[in-house]
Amino acid sequence: MKAIQITHSQEYNIVDIPEVNELKEGEILLKICYVGFCGSDINTFMGRNTMALNPVIPGHEVGAVIERVGEGVPETLRPGMTVTCNPYTNCGKCASCRNGRVNACQHNETLGVQRDGAMRQYIALPWQKVIPATRLTPLTCALVEPMSVGFHAVSRAQVTDIDVVMVIGCGMVGMGAIVRSVTRGATVIAADIDDEKLALARMMGAAHTINTVKEDIHEVLASITSSFGPDVVIEAVGSVPTYQMAVNEVAFTGRVACIGYAKSEVTLQTKYFVQKELDIRGSRNAMPEDFRAVIHYMESGQCPVDRLITKIIRPEEGLETMRWWSENPGKVFRILVDFQ
């Protein structure tokens, strides 16, 4: 069957891999409809993702249909159902797993990164990783995983309806953080360098937007928050300036939730950790309840799905698209690969 394979040397190939003829006990065979390209995939293509296999079949943002099921699969999962998947593994033995936070498993292997992913015509997965979403289309299902990462950051930050939340970075993950904060009743400030993304953030429920290139973020935040600063800052970029912005601008006794991976060391004013008595929390991947919450939101019909999809391509168009994306990183929400 057909699959996409990427190496760290900017090579992109369509390869033939063996078909799945027999399912192990507890496995489900998924017919892949759409898979999203994510930031980790472009980093793999550009040679910047040191965690990825080389070469690797990318893809962990999945919209699929159950093709068939193996022995021992619950009757609630049936052929023909529209599904997405939880692309992470957990060992069950490390400190994170022992504490019930399986999303942060020390030995996690994410589809398309530490193990071959879903950019293929069919994939077999354990039934526990298959998430039904029968009221959604496979197209919409491919958007669930990245939004769930943003939803999880909001849970880590313990956002409530009395909070002012600033989300730095309005990509797909940041949009998830905006949506979840809004549904919890918080007042949301979206910060980004792209006006189109900020306009979409408004559509998703942000009460205020700040273009951090054109505006003085400290002055604007002072005006919005009566000089208190935001109660919560969610960092969804992964750069030196945005990490520093998060710590510098969050309110005294505020919470900072960090999603992005900075590519270099970050120098921070550690005096703020103490003076402000900050809670600084990492946020990694997502929990099953985050996936369910995103699906519930998608089912409401409030999500402007079409606005979140930059391109839908065939597998053969991937090399040209990856080169375009590498030259226009700020213009991409999600690129979906159509395997139908």
Side-chain angles (χ1 to χ4, degrees), residues 44-325:
T44 297
F45 180 74
M46 297 299 293
R48 297 192 296 250
N49 189 353
T50 57
M51 295 187 294
L53 294 176
N54 186 20
V56 67
I57 297 172
H60 56 261
E61 303 170 1
V62 176
V65 173
I66 295 178
E67 180 77 4
R68 53 191 170 92
V69 301
E71 295 291 329
V73 173
E75 294 181 1
T76 51
L77 295 168
R78 304 179 301 277
M81 292 179 68
T82 302
V83 298
T84 187
C85 75
N86 182 329
Y88 324 121
T89 64
N90 57 283
C91 69
K93 300 176 182 178
C94 70
S96 301
C97 291
R98 182 180 63 183
N99 291 327
R101 290 161 64 175
V102 295
N103 60 297
C105 174
Q106 182 179 350
H107 306 292
N108 166 67
E109 295 182 353
T110 299
L111 282 175
V113 186
Q114 295 95 344
R115 57 186 172 133
D116 281 330
M119 285 205 180
R120 60 180 85 183
Q121 292 174 293
Y122 294 89
I123 189 171
L125 294 174
W127 71 263
Q128 295 91 340
K129 298 298 180 181
V130 176
I131 303 170
T134 55
R135 295 172 59 188
L136 302 182
T137 66
L139 182 77
T140 304
C141 281
L143 303 177
V144 169
E145 191 275 341
M147 291 198 79
S148 72
V149 176
F151 272 47
H152 182 66
V154 173
S155 295
R156 288 285 294 140
Q158 297 178 301
V159 171
T160 72
D161 58 344
I162 63 171
D163 287 321
V164 175
V165 178
M166 179 168 70
V167 178
I168 306 174
C170 295
M172 274 294 296
V173 171
M175 288 298 179
I178 290 168
V179 167
R180 191 53 165 163
S181 297
V182 170
T183 61
R184 289 190 174 199
T187 300
V188 177
I189 304 165
D192 201 280
I193 62 173
D194 186 274
D195 286 331
E196 291 182 23
K197 289 184 176 181
L198 291 171
L200 184 53
R202 285 264 191 184
M203 184 181 295
M204 305 291 274
H208 308 276
T209 57
I210 305 173
N211 186 314
T212 57
V213 171
K214 300 177 180 179
E215 302 173 85
D216 185 311
I217 190 163
H218 185 76
E219 289 184 3
V220 177
L221 286 175
S223 176
I224 294 171
T225 67
S226 300
S227 296
F228 286 112
D231 304 289
V232 174
V233 176
I234 296 175
E235 199 289 331
V237 177
S239 72
V240 173
T242 52
Y243 263 86
Q244 292 170 337
M245 183 187 300
V247 171
N248 293 347
E249 300 299 339
V250 71
F252 273 64
T253 68
R255 287 101 70 199
V256 177
C258 306
I259 309 174
Y261 280 82
K263 303 300 186 295
S264 58
E265 291 186 4
V266 181
T267 302
L268 298 171
Q269 290 286 353
T270 55
K271 66 178 182 179
Y272 289 149
F273 296 10
V274 178
Q275 289 177 349
K276 293 186 178 184
E277 200 174 47
L278 297 181
D279 289 332
I280 299 177
R281 305 172 184 181
S283 182
R284 183 182 179 193
N285 299 331
M287 292 284 281
E289 57 264 31
D290 300 308
F291 284 88
R292 293 196 300 272
V294 173
I295 291 169
H296 179 72
Y297 163 69
M298 295 288 197
E299 288 174 343
S300 73
Q302 298 177 53
C303 182
V305 171
D306 292 344
R307 293 288 302 274
L308 297 176
I309 299 172
T310 306
K311 288 186 177 186
I312 299 175
I313 65 171
R314 301 293 299 169
E316 294 77 13
E317 300 171 293
L319 178 58
E320 179 184 351
T321 301
M322 295 296 272
R323 287 173 175 168
W324 170 81
W325 187 9

